[in-house]
Amino acid sequence: MANLEITHATAPTPGGVNEDAVVTGAGFAVVLDGATATGAPTGCIHSVAWYVRQLAARLSSALLTNDGELREILREAIQDLVVDHGQTCDMSNPDSPSSTVAMVRAHGGVLEVLSLADSPVAVQRTDGSIQVVVDDRTSHLASYTRDAVRGFRNNDNGGFWVASTKPEAADRAVVASIPVSEVSAVAVLSDGASRLPERYGWTWDRFMADLASNGPTHIIDATRAAEATTDAGTFRGKAHDDATAVLCTIQP
């Protein structure tokens, strides 16, 4: 197993509750970004933050003990969580709590990467190039209103998938495998921490250099500073979001 030096930071939407979660261990990192409740009945007695924490716990346990493929690990974690809270909650409700997933694992000489529902992973290679692995289906939705997003969720017909009540969502995740020998650093992000390149004109090269030099907390602070000078309505979606950034550096 490759040796990863891992640092991370996470911060809630200003004035809000953090519905992101981050877990790291020997050779892996996971970032989850809970989908903020729309106000529609969820059929569930649990909060989004509860769902995210429970899924994070199952994923970290599996990554410590299971050598299976990342999609398989995610599928089993969702299934296990469905069994646990399906005793009290309506698993058929389309507004049940849900989360994005971004995972990396260095295993067997390979860096394995998974992205489900717009939380990106940026891989900096030893040749200086950067590969961004992201499930970007939400950015292609015809409409971004709350009702439209609800209708497109877990939908193959022009929609997108999230971790929620359907284990098969794991099969729709975007994955990649890269030889560890070709990787120098990896950023695992919630979309609230990837706004500098995705909204504010930073290149991924600049982002990765700043992350490596100044750390995850600085990236979140720079994001908040950019958001503070942005006029309402400039971008679709929230003006602010929970933000989580993980930096994994490959050690010799």
Side-chain angles (χ1 to χ4, degrees):
M1 181 179 292
N3 183 26
L4 299 185
E5 180 179 290
I6 302 174
T7 57
H8 71 265
T10 185
T13 299
V17 174
N18 197 342
E19 295 174 335
D20 283 2
V22 55
V23 290
T24 65
F28 72 84
V30 180
V31 170
L32 305 179
D33 179 2
T36 301
T38 64
T42 65
C44 185
I45 64 173
H46 304 106
S47 67
V48 171
W50 177 92
Y51 181 89
V52 169
R53 291 192 299 267
Q54 294 294 318
L55 185 59
R58 285 160 175 78
L59 288 171
S60 60
S61 176
L63 288 164
L64 287 168
T65 60
N66 187 340
D67 291 336
E69 191 262 336
L70 293 185
R71 281 176 173 156
E72 173 190 335
I73 286 173
L74 177 57
R75 187 186 314 113
E76 291 179 358
I78 296 171
Q79 178 61 48
D80 185 48
L81 187 45
V82 166
V83 170
D84 276 2
H85 80 120
Q87 304 301 313
T88 57
C89 306
D90 177 10
M91 296 294 93
S92 67
N93 191 304
D95 291 301
S96 187
S98 64
S99 178
T100 74
V101 183
M103 288 196 285
V104 298
R105 177 176 63 180
H107 180 71
V110 174
L111 180 76
E112 302 165 297
V113 182
L114 178 148
S115 171
L116 178 67
D118 79 17
S119 286
V121 176
V123 180
Q124 186 166 43
R125 293 177 177 264
T126 52
D127 65 5
S129 64
I130 295 174
Q131 177 181 351
V132 180
V133 180
V134 61
D135 174 10
D136 65 353
R137 280 170 282 203
T138 56
S139 66
H140 300 293
L141 297 179
S143 173
Y144 210 63
T145 65
R146 284 187 174 183
D147 286 343
V149 170
R150 289 171 61 204
F152 285 129
R153 197 176 82 159
N154 291 344
N155 183 340
D156 276 325
N157 299 316
F160 66 100
W161 288 78
V162 289
S164 183
T165 61
K166 295 184 178 181
E168 62 266 31
D171 301 324
R172 276 72 171 187
V174 175
V175 296
S177 296
I178 305 163
V180 170
S181 61
E182 298 178 9
V183 177
S184 59
V186 185
V188 189
L189 309 163
S190 66
D191 68 338
S194 59
R195 290 183 166 191
L196 294 171
E198 291 179 346
R199 288 189 173 187
Y200 293 108
W202 286 35
T203 64
W204 279 104
D205 295 275
R206 177 185 175 186
F207 181 91
M208 292 299 291
D210 196 278
L211 178 62
S213 296
N214 299 307
T217 297
H218 175 79
I219 286 294
I220 294 174
D221 290 344
T223 302
R224 295 291 185 242
E227 291 169 344
T229 59
T230 301
D231 293 333
T234 301
F235 303 104
R236 73 179 190 174
K238 306 175 201 173
H240 306 283
D241 201 359
D242 303 333
T244 300
V246 180
L247 172 65
C248 306
T249 305
I250 307 296
Q251 300 299 303

